[in-house]
Amino acid sequence: MSERARRPTVKEVAVRAGVSPMTVSRTLSGGLNVKPDVQQRVMEAVAELGYHRNENARSIRPGHSSGLIGVAITNIANPYYSTFALGVEEEAALTGRRILLGNTSEDAAREADLVGDFLGRRVDGLIVVPAGTTSAHLAHSQNQGVPVVLASRRIDGLAADSVVLADDDGAHRGTSSLLDRGHTRIGYLGNALSIFTGGRRYAGFVRALEERGLTVDPQLVATNQQTVDQAREATRTLLDAEHPPTAIFCANNRNAIGALKEISAQLGDGTRAPADFPEIVSFDDFELAELSPVPISVIDHDPRELGRTAARLLLDRLDGGERETPPRAIELPVSLRGVR
C-alpha cells in the first residue's frame, strides 16, 4: 500500500473527535463557528492520528495536492446536473475537498479546454459527463497522474471508472408501458444517437417495439434536440403529421418539457381537448411534471446519488488505495412511476 493510502483520513479524525467531517474541515480552516472546546478535541485527534491536511502541505507545486476536484457537466441550465453536482460536492466535502464546476454545452472541444483549465489548477481528480467520444484529453489527464471518473456516459477505449444509468432497461420499460396501454404509434424525442445515453435509450425504445412485432416509423422519430425549444419544434412537427403519434417517449427531461410546452400551447386555442394529445413518458423527472395537461410517467432515478457514486469512485482512487486496480463500471437502476 502506498504512503498516501496509509495516511489517516478526515473521516477518521472526525470519529476520534466525535464530530462531523465538516467540523474537522472548519477547524483546520480557522475554526469559524466552531466552539473552542470542540476545536481542541479536533486538534487532539489530529495530533493522535498524525493527520496532515493536504492544504497545510500545499504550495501549488507539482506533487502537492490542491484539494480540488474538477467536475465537467454538459448543461448547467438543467436542474438535473446541478443536483448531480451537489451530490459530488457533498461527498467531496467529507474529505475536506472542494469542486470546480464547468459547463461544456455538449461541445467536445470546449470540454477539452475545460479539462486543460482544471489541470492547470492542479485538481486532484476529474469527474466528467462526456460531451463526445474523444478521449485524448482525458487520457492525458490520467497520464499526468490525475484520475478520471466518467458519469452518466462512457467512452469506448478509455480505461476509466464510470457510473451510468440503466438507460436501455429504463427506455424499454417506459416504451413497454405505453404499448401495454394500447399505443402502437409512439413517437420518439431525444438527443443525438451518437451520444452514449441517446444511443442506449433509443435501443431500449426499439427493442420494446420489436418485441411486440412492431417496426419503428422514421416519421415518428426526432433526434438531435439539445434544448427545450428544439424539442418543442420537433413536437410540433410530430403533432402536425397526417397520422400523429398517440404517445411520445422522451429520452430526457429537456425533450419532455419541450413536448409539454407545445402541447399546452396548442391546447390554449380551445379547439381540442387533452384527450386529443399524446401521452408522455419522460426519461428523467422534472419540476412540476404533475401539472402536465396530458397523462405522463417518468423513468426516475436520483441524480444526487449518481454524483455521490462518481465522487466515491474518485475518492477511492485518491485516498483508498485503489490507484492500481482495473477500471470499475457501475450501472445504477431506474424505476418507472406514473405522475398523472
Side-chain angles (χ1 to χ4, degrees):
M1 186 177 294
S2 69
E3 179 183 353
R4 181 171 186 171
R6 291 196 301 271
R7 292 175 182 172
T9 67
V10 72
K11 289 183 181 180
E12 292 169 338
V13 174
V15 170
R16 177 67 64 92
V19 299
S20 71
M22 184 61 73
T23 298
V24 174
S25 179
R26 286 175 177 168
T27 298
L28 296 178
S29 297
L32 182 65
N33 297 325
V34 181
K35 295 180 180 179
D37 60 320
V38 175
Q39 292 186 48
Q40 182 177 349
R41 293 209 316 269
V42 170
M43 297 311 297
E44 287 174 352
V46 167
E48 290 169 5
L49 293 174
Y51 174 79
H52 297 285
R53 195 183 186 200
N54 288 334
E55 287 89 334
N56 292 335
R58 196 185 300 160
S59 62
I60 313 301
R61 297 194 306 264
H64 289 263
S65 169
S66 68
L68 298 173
I69 293 173
V71 181
I73 59 176
T74 57
N75 185 357
I76 202 168
N78 189 340
Y80 177 93
Y81 285 114
S82 61
T83 305
F84 164 82
L86 179 62
V88 174
E89 184 178 44
E90 289 173 342
E91 200 68 25
L94 297 178
T95 66
R97 290 184 172 89
R98 296 293 179 264
I99 70 170
L100 296 177
L101 183 64
N103 180 60
T104 66
S105 297
E106 295 284 7
D107 185 325
R110 186 169 176 176
E111 176 186 294
D113 289 342
L114 181 61
V115 167
D117 289 343
F118 285 155
L119 294 179
R121 294 175 184 272
R122 305 280 168 76
V123 295
D124 292 345
L126 293 170
I127 295 174
V128 179
V129 179
T133 59
T134 58
S135 61
H137 56 297
L138 299 177
H140 172 72
S141 171
Q142 293 174 319
N143 292 336
Q144 298 298 310
V146 179
V148 175
V149 173
L150 304 179
S152 186
R153 305 167 181 176
R154 298 188 182 113
I155 299 177
D156 289 340
L158 183 67
D161 292 330
S162 63
V163 53
V164 302
L165 300 172
D167 299 294
D168 183 290
D169 176 64
H172 177 269
R173 291 168 65 182
T175 307
S176 295
S177 72
L178 294 173
L179 293 165
D180 289 342
R181 289 193 286 278
H183 297 286
T184 56
R185 289 188 60 76
I186 303 175
Y188 180 93
L189 291 178
N191 50 14
L193 300 185
S194 59
I195 293 175
F196 181 84
T197 50
R200 281 161 50 99
R201 293 174 188 180
Y202 183 69
F205 169 79
V206 172
R207 181 161 62 90
L209 293 177
E210 291 179 344
E211 286 177 354
R212 305 297 179 94
L214 300 173
T215 57
V216 176
D217 183 346
Q219 294 185 340
L220 299 183
V221 174
T223 59
N224 297 309
Q225 294 85 234
Q226 303 293 351
T227 68
V228 169
D229 287 342
Q230 289 172 340
R232 180 175 177 176
E233 183 177 346
T235 302
R236 185 181 308 121
T237 299
L238 290 178
L239 297 180
D240 290 344
E242 184 178 357
H243 300 290
T246 62
I248 298 176
F249 177 87
C250 299
N252 56 48
N253 56 13
R254 299 292 91 185
N255 277 271
I257 293 170
L260 291 176
K261 279 194 169 187
E262 182 58 27
I263 289 171
S264 296
Q266 293 197 19
L267 271 170
D269 64 17
T271 60
R272 285 179 288 178
D276 298 324
F277 290 90
E279 180 178 351
I280 300 292
V281 169
S282 170
F283 201 118
D284 302 335
D285 199 358
F286 55 93
E287 290 185 348
L288 304 182
E290 67 275 10
L291 300 182
S292 168
V294 297
I296 182 170
S297 301
V298 300
I299 299 161
D300 203 8
H301 54 92
D302 185 357
R304 183 179 290 189
E305 182 56 29
L306 183 70
R308 288 187 183 124
T309 303
R312 286 193 289 266
L313 286 172
L314 182 62
L315 294 171
D316 283 348
R317 293 290 181 189
L318 294 172
D319 301 328
E322 300 289 346
R323 281 187 174 266
E324 305 304 324
T325 59
R328 295 157 295 173
I330 296 176
E331 184 168 290
L332 299 181
V334 298
S335 61
L336 177 67
R337 64 179 179 86
V339 176
R340 68 161 300 274

